[in-house]
Amino acid sequence: MDKTIFICADHGLAIVYFLQSEIVPRLLASGVEIVVLTDDAIQEHVSERFARPGLVVEGLRLEQARAYFQKADYSTQWWLDFLRRAGASNRINLQAVDSHINQVEDEAHKRRKILFPAMRAAVWGLRHSSTARDMLRERQNKYTPGIYNDLLQRYQPSLVLASTPGWRWDRYLLRDAASLGIETGAAIIGWDNTSSYSLPGAPVDWVTCWSQIQKEELVNGSDWSPVDVNIGGIPSYDGYFKKEWLLNREDYYRQHNLDPNRQLISYACSFISFSPNLQNIEALARLVSSEQLSKPSQLLIRFHPNHFMDVPRFLDERERIRALAQDTPHVHVVEPVPLGGSLVYYSGEDMPEKSSMMAYSDVFTTVYSTMVVEAAVHGCPVVSVCIDSPAGWPGKYTLPLSQIGDWPTHSRFRDSGAGLEVNDENQLRMALNFYLDNPGAGKEARLNFIERECTFTDGSAGDCTANFVLSKLGTHDGK
C-alpha cells in the first residue's frame, strides 16, 4: 500500500488494544508500515516484544510534552483542559464528570478556588451551547508545540491514530499532525471514556468505539458527526472471547497458593482516586476467614495500578492490604510485575493473569470497574461492593461509594441484571451466598450485557477495526 500509520500506545491498555489484538498484524499484512509511539522508558522493551517486519517503535517524548505544558501558559492550558473535560453537552449523563469537577475544586489550591465560580459558569455555558464548545476546541489548538514535527516529516504518515481523541498527552501529537494536514483518528479503549472525558483535546477526523451506546455518547455529548463515529467493538477483549490468555487452572492456583477445594472470590481494587477500597476488602476477608459463606471460600485481591504510584495514601492502603493477607487465613494478593516507565504495572504482560483470575473465580467483586464487563465475558457472576469508607482519604476529596450507582456505566450494569450491588457487609454476605449456591444465576443477563457493551462477541473486533482503519487511508479531506 506504501502507506505509513503512526499509532500512539501511551499506556498499557493501548498496548493491548493495538499490539495484542489483530489490529497491528492485520494492518501489516495489508502492506501498511506502522510506527508505534510509546513511553520512552519502555521503547526498547516494546520493540523487542512485538518485533516484526514493517513495525518501528519510537519514543513518545513525554518529558518534552510535560515541559511544554508547564512552560507555555501553564495556567491557561490547565484551565482549557479542565473545561474540555467538564464541558460536554448536558444531553448525556454527566454524573461521572460532575464528581470529577467536585474533586478538582475540593483539592484545588487557593488561587484556583477563587476562580472556580467563574469556571463553573463557563462549564454551564459549554454544556448548553455547541458554539461555546466549538470555541473551546479552537482555543486549545493554539497550543500546538511542534514536538513531533521532525518524526512526522521523516516518516510522512498518512494517518496518526491515538487511543484517545486528545484526552491525554496524545493531544500534542494529534495537534502537530493536524497542523501539518495529516489525517487523525482515535480509538476509544475504555468502557467509561465516552461518558467521563468529554470533548476532544485535538482536531480528530474520526473515532472508533465499542458500541452503539458509546456512539450516542460521542454524538450527543461531544458533538461528533454520526458519520465520523465507527462501531468497532473492543479488540482488547478478543483474546478473552477466544480464550487465548487462559493459564492452566492448576498452575494458576499453585501460582497464588490457592486451595483447589475452596471456592474462589476475587476482588479487583477500583475507584481508589475517589475512595479507599480497604473497607470492602476487610469485609470480604472477614466473611471468608470466619467461614460465614455457604461454601468454604478464599479471597484473591488484585491491586489497582494507582497502588503503585508514589502517593502516600495509595501506598499505605497497598501495604495494609498486604498485611491483611499475611495475617488472615485464606486471603491472597496478586503481586504484579513492573514493566517500567509511566506504564509501570498492568501493561499488557498481565492479560493471562487477569483472564485466569476472572475465569476461575466463582464470584468476581470490585467497585464498578471495567472488569465487570470483562468478568461477564468470562461468564463469572459479579458483585459491585460499595461499602462507604468510615474515614475516607484524610485531607483529600472522598466520594461515598453508596453515591456512585447512577454514573453512566454503573447504572447500565445495575439495570442489566448482570450482577448485584451491595452497600454493607450483610448485603455482601447474602450476594456472595446467592451466587455460590446458584452459579448459573444471571447467565442470560450477562450475555445480553456484553452484547450491548462490546458489540462483537466472537473475537472479531480486531479484524473489524483494522478493516475500518484501512478503509480510511487516503480519504482525508484536509480539514
Side-chain angles (χ1 to χ4, degrees):
M1 283 186 89
D2 196 27
K3 301 275 187 178
T4 299
I5 296 177
F6 272 26
I7 291 179
C8 179
D10 62 341
H11 55 101
L13 290 177
I15 288 176
V16 179
Y17 185 98
F18 291 115
L19 292 169
Q20 292 182 248
S21 73
E22 288 301 311
I23 293 178
V24 163
R26 176 79 174 80
L27 295 176
L28 291 171
S30 298
V32 175
E33 294 188 347
I34 295 176
V35 178
V36 173
L37 288 88
T38 195
D39 189 324
D40 303 73
I42 64 164
Q43 177 184 345
E44 184 176 348
H45 171 84
V46 172
S47 182
E48 292 176 357
R49 168 79 166 76
F50 299 102
R52 59 182 68 198
L55 177 66
V56 176
V57 180
E58 293 278 1
L60 195 50
R61 304 179 179 181
L62 294 177
E63 289 304 316
Q64 290 175 249
R66 293 188 185 99
Y68 178 79
F69 181 67
Q70 292 286 337
K71 295 176 181 178
D73 297 338
Y74 168 70
S75 181
T76 300
Q77 287 203 74
W78 191 93
W79 281 112
L80 284 171
D81 195 58
F82 168 80
L83 292 172
R84 173 204 59 72
R85 183 165 180 184
S89 169
N90 62 357
R91 293 180 295 174
I92 65 170
N93 180 339
L94 294 173
Q95 290 206 31
V97 179
D98 288 340
S99 295
H100 170 73
I101 295 171
N102 293 337
Q103 181 184 33
V104 172
E105 182 174 16
D106 183 82
E107 297 181 357
H109 57 63
K110 185 176 180 180
R111 288 176 59 191
R112 282 189 184 146
K113 283 185 184 292
I114 293 172
L115 291 174
F116 247 92
M119 291 303 169
R120 282 191 175 272
V123 169
W124 186 93
L126 288 165
R127 291 185 174 186
H128 290 81
S129 169
S130 60
T131 300
R133 295 192 292 273
D134 287 342
M135 291 174 63
L136 175 65
R137 281 188 282 261
E138 185 63 30
R139 181 73 177 85
Q140 67 188 1
N141 293 337
K142 172 186 175 182
Y143 298 97
T144 300
I147 293 171
Y148 305 97
N149 284 3
D150 63 318
L151 285 176
L152 294 166
Q153 290 166 356
R154 183 195 315 167
Y155 288 104
Q156 296 289 307
S158 300
L159 168 68
V160 172
L161 177 58
S163 59
T164 83
W167 294 331
R168 294 164 58 87
W169 296 114
D170 57 2
R171 60 185 178 268
Y172 295 134
L173 171 63
L174 290 166
R175 290 177 196 172
D176 282 355
S179 73
L180 296 175
I182 299 168
E183 182 169 5
T184 55
I188 302 299
I189 66 173
W191 183 38
D192 67 341
N193 287 180
T194 52
S195 60
S196 298
Y197 292 95
S198 301
L199 308 177
V204 178
D205 295 300
W206 49 261
V207 62
T208 184
C209 65
W210 295 29
S211 63
Q212 181 64 32
I213 296 170
Q214 286 196 342
K215 179 171 183 175
E216 290 171 1
E217 289 176 331
L218 289 165
V219 171
N220 294 326
S222 302
D223 307 314
W224 285 85
S225 169
V227 299
D228 294 328
V229 181
N230 175 65
I231 299 174
I234 174 63
S236 308
Y237 293 0
D238 284 351
Y240 291 153
F241 288 114
K242 296 177 181 178
K243 302 187 184 303
E244 291 179 343
W245 292 314
L246 275 183
L247 301 173
N248 175 274
R249 187 178 188 272
E250 291 183 2
D251 292 341
Y252 185 72
Y253 268 56
R254 190 179 304 113
Q255 177 180 325
H256 295 298
N257 297 314
L258 300 174
D259 185 344
N261 297 313
R262 284 182 168 268
Q263 305 292 101
L264 179 59
I265 312 296
S266 58
Y267 180 84
C269 294
S270 178
F271 216 74
I272 74 169
S273 296
F274 285 100
S275 169
N277 274 216
L278 185 63
Q279 72 282 358
N280 290 342
I281 293 168
E282 289 175 332
L284 286 162
R286 279 192 295 269
L287 292 173
V288 165
S289 63
S290 61
E291 308 289 3
Q292 294 186 51
L293 299 179
S294 60
K295 295 181 180 179
S297 300
Q298 57 199 323
L299 175 64
L300 180 62
I301 303 159
R302 176 183 171 88
F303 290 120
H304 190 275
N306 286 7
H307 278 127
F308 300 93
M309 294 174 61
D310 188 19
V311 177
R313 64 185 186 277
F314 299 156
L315 296 177
D316 177 67
E317 179 170 87
R318 183 190 71 191
E319 294 312 308
R320 292 176 70 181
I321 292 169
R322 280 177 169 158
L324 178 69
Q326 290 175 354
D327 297 338
T328 310
H330 313 303
V331 177
H332 312 266
V333 297
V334 175
E335 292 286 357
V337 177
L339 182 58
S342 63
L343 304 185
V344 189
Y345 291 84
Y346 306 141
S347 302
E349 311 293 320
D350 186 57
M351 299 307 285
E353 162 63 43
K354 187 162 65 164
S355 183
S356 301
M357 181 183 191
M358 293 181 288
Y360 299 136
S361 292
D362 294 282
V363 186
F364 176 81
T365 63
T366 186
V367 184
Y368 287 121
S369 164
T370 302
M371 289 180 73
V372 303
V373 183
E374 297 169 76
V377 170
H378 285 81
C380 185
V382 180
V383 177
S384 184
V385 188
C386 297
I387 300 172
D388 288 340
S389 170
W393 291 126
K396 293 292 184 178
Y397 180 78
T398 302
L399 183 60
L401 297 180
S402 60
Q403 298 180 15
I404 66 173
D406 291 330
W407 283 29
T409 50
H410 305 179
S411 62
R412 297 206 301 269
F413 169 74
R414 288 192 300 110
D415 294 343
S416 73
L420 300 172
E421 179 200 63
V422 299
N423 299 118
D424 60 43
E425 190 168 330
N426 185 52
Q427 291 178 1
L428 176 59
R429 178 181 57 80
M430 290 190 293
L432 293 175
N433 283 339
F434 172 72
Y435 282 131
L436 290 174
D437 295 335
N438 303 278
K443 178 179 179 180
E444 191 67 28
R446 286 191 290 276
L447 291 173
N448 293 333
F449 177 58
I450 62 174
E451 286 180 1
R452 287 193 299 274
E453 299 294 343
C454 302
T455 306
F456 300 107
T457 61
D458 59 356
S460 66
D463 274 333
C464 292
T465 300
N467 288 336
F468 171 74
V469 172
L470 289 169
S471 76
K472 302 303 292 184
L473 290 180
T475 65
H476 185 50
D477 61 7
K479 63 182 177 182

